[in-house]
Amino acid sequence: MSQFYALMHDNTVKYISLKEEIVTDVRNLFINGGAILKPEGIEEDVFDGNIVSRNGENITYVNYNLPEDFIHIPDNQADMSEYNINEDIPKSIFYYDDGKFYFQVFNKKNMLQRKMVLQFEHGNVFTKMNNTAFIVEDKVQAIYEDGKLYFQNYTIANQVFSLIDFITEATNTEIESFGEIEGINVSTENIKHIANIKTRRLIKLLSNTDNIATFMRKASRTRTSLLRKYGVNAQINENNELVLLTNNVADLNRVLEFLNEDIFRGVITDSLYRSNSKKKDNH
């Protein structure tokens, strides 16, 4: 029996029905991907926002309780809704096997609905594939077993389940260090005055990534377009720095969420959402 599922943005789970002849192939993609992500005997470290996972050397984990819908797995599929490719856009697809859940991030790149896919027909002739389909990749980004969620990359794993509560808060000293990051212009004193718990967690997380440098390497027009597209109240100054406004904590948190890639656009409606919440964003 197939144990292949779709995890929706509201954390409900839907069963993905497979023909019997491909069940083993799909299962093996996840099992093999899991073995690469978490090899036997790899060092395990509790994640708190400070630990850096080094591929092949260690893996980070958080103690985690799966959402309610997971109680139906593996024996109560009859109580679950079935995945509908024409209506459902999951945030992850996953496979259950022998007490382990193998998660793969799912996004618009997996969908073939808007792509021109050429299908080999005969000889050297190709034809257009007209069927609706999605891609299952040969990698896994998170594994759940024995009450622990394992992952190598926080940003990616956070697309499966919200992990912001596991990030410790940035201290005032760390906020000052954040203000020294090349490419941004911000008053750290103002941040310390207005910051809430969310602000400090986002700064802690962002400080351990290269997201700011990556964003600032983009072309000027691209950066301006992205800020406008995602409703972020920030500007690029004459010194080619991203200016973070600190007169309003909501605006500050929004630009931090943007830089942490916690805002995304729906594939179908093009609406803005906050990651892992399905809460529509009206900015």
Side-chain angles (χ1 to χ4, degrees):
M1 178 186 293
S2 168
Q3 294 291 339
F4 190 32
Y5 303 90
L7 178 63
M8 309 308 293
H9 287 278
D10 61 358
N11 283 333
T12 57
V13 176
K14 297 192 175 186
Y15 174 64
I16 303 177
S17 181
L18 298 176
K19 283 193 172 182
E20 191 64 34
E21 59 263 30
I22 69 166
V23 169
T24 299
D25 290 338
V26 172
R27 172 187 176 276
N28 287 344
L29 281 175
F30 285 87
I31 300 301
N32 294 339
I36 294 172
L37 178 72
K38 185 177 178 289
E40 191 71 28
I42 193 171
E43 177 185 338
E44 300 179 9
D45 292 309
V46 177
F47 177 82
D48 65 359
N50 288 314
I51 295 294
V52 177
S53 182
R54 303 173 302 278
N55 191 27
E57 298 181 25
N58 71 325
I59 191 167
T60 50
Y61 72 87
V62 295
N63 294 303
Y64 194 82
N65 293 321
L66 291 174
E68 183 179 353
D69 256 22
F70 282 79
I71 64 174
H72 300 302
I73 301 171
D75 299 320
N76 296 312
Q77 292 176 348
D79 296 330
M80 303 175 68
S81 300
E82 192 166 345
Y83 170 68
N84 183 333
I85 195 171
N86 295 314
E87 298 177 0
D88 299 324
I89 304 294
K91 61 179 177 177
S92 172
I93 52 177
F94 67 94
Y95 203 94
Y96 172 85
D97 183 77
D98 194 25
K100 299 180 181 179
F101 297 84
Y102 300 86
F103 293 93
Q104 182 178 126
V105 171
F106 193 97
N107 56 46
K108 63 181 180 180
K109 294 181 181 178
N110 295 80
M111 300 298 297
L112 299 181
Q113 291 165 308
R114 297 185 176 183
K115 298 181 176 68
M116 171 74 75
V117 180
L118 299 183
Q119 177 178 295
F120 178 74
E121 193 170 63
H122 59 80
N124 288 322
V125 178
F126 290 81
T127 186
K128 178 181 176 181
M129 188 182 78
N130 293 314
N131 295 332
T132 301
F134 67 84
I135 298 171
V136 180
E137 300 187 42
D138 59 350
K139 57 186 176 183
V140 164
Q141 285 90 13
I143 297 173
Y144 183 87
E145 61 173 318
D146 297 329
K148 297 178 180 179
L149 183 70
Y150 294 90
F151 52 91
Q152 289 278 359
N153 184 298
Y154 168 88
T155 301
I156 296 177
N158 193 53
Q159 296 175 47
V160 179
F161 295 113
S162 178
L163 302 177
I164 187 65
D165 289 340
F166 295 95
I167 300 293
T168 55
E169 299 169 30
T171 63
N172 284 347
T173 300
E174 288 172 323
I175 289 176
E176 291 170 2
S177 297
F178 171 75
E180 297 173 359
I181 294 176
E182 185 176 356
I184 63 171
N185 183 305
V186 62
S187 169
T188 54
E189 290 303 314
N190 285 353
I191 289 182
K192 287 184 282 186
H193 179 69
I194 71 171
N196 55 26
I197 292 175
K198 181 177 182 179
T199 311
R200 290 178 177 269
R201 286 177 173 173
L202 287 167
I203 288 174
K204 181 82 167 187
L205 175 60
L206 189 56
S207 297
N208 290 319
T209 73
D210 295 321
N211 287 15
I212 291 175
T214 301
F215 175 71
M216 295 307 294
R217 283 197 298 268
K218 295 183 181 296
S220 176
R221 183 175 297 180
T222 300
R223 290 178 304 192
T224 302
S225 174
L226 287 171
L227 292 172
R228 183 172 57 253
K229 179 179 180 181
Y230 287 93
V232 177
N233 187 14
Q235 304 290 328
I236 308 295
N237 67 14
E238 64 276 8
N239 296 320
N240 198 35
E241 297 172 321
L242 179 65
V243 180
L244 277 61
L245 302 180
T246 55
N247 58 329
N248 182 288
V249 70
D251 286 343
L252 175 60
N253 285 348
R254 183 165 185 84
V255 70
L256 294 173
E257 288 175 325
F258 168 76
L259 291 169
N260 271 306
E261 299 184 301
D262 289 339
I263 305 171
F264 71 97
R265 280 196 174 273
V267 178
I268 302 300
T269 64
D270 200 40
S271 296
L272 285 176
Y273 297 94
R274 300 185 187 275
S275 291
N276 308 306
S277 72
K278 202 57 179 180
K279 179 180 178 181
K280 189 169 182 179
D281 191 300
N282 293 318
H283 281 74

